[in-house]
Amino acid sequence: MSNRFEILEEYQQANSELDHLKGLVVRQQDRSRVVTIYPHLRERVSHLSEKCEQLDMLLEAINASED
């Protein structure tokens, strides 16, 4: 992950998967008043959220160092 473009690509992939999982949660809420989120799904969403935040901070630091 030493390359800015690799970091950006990893961020985009993680963010895309996170959006997909959040979409699954929304569809599940639309189908039922009682939402049961599987523990592994909740853990994956949490992990991807943290990963996206970290990668975003890293990209901001890289951009700031280039200015």
Side-chain angles (χ1 to χ4, degrees):
M1 270 197 342
S2 61
N3 180 317
R4 175 182 173 182
F5 296 107
E6 291 172 349
I7 295 168
L8 182 57
E9 183 178 307
E10 185 175 350
Y11 172 80
Q12 290 170 336
Q13 289 173 350
N15 203 32
S16 177
E17 184 178 351
L18 182 59
D19 287 343
H20 173 73
L21 292 177
K22 286 181 178 179
L24 290 176
V25 171
V26 169
R27 283 193 296 275
Q28 185 177 6
Q29 287 174 336
D30 290 342
R31 292 182 184 155
S32 166
R33 292 185 186 266
V34 178
V35 178
T36 304
I37 299 176
Y38 297 104
H40 67 278
L41 178 61
R42 187 179 354 206
E43 291 170 9
R44 185 68 180 153
V45 168
S46 176
H47 171 76
L48 286 171
S49 294
E50 290 174 17
K51 183 177 183 175
C52 286
E53 287 177 24
Q54 292 171 350
L55 291 170
D56 187 45
M57 286 189 290
L58 186 56
L59 287 168
E60 286 180 16
I62 290 170
N63 288 335
S65 70
E66 290 178 349
D67 290 339

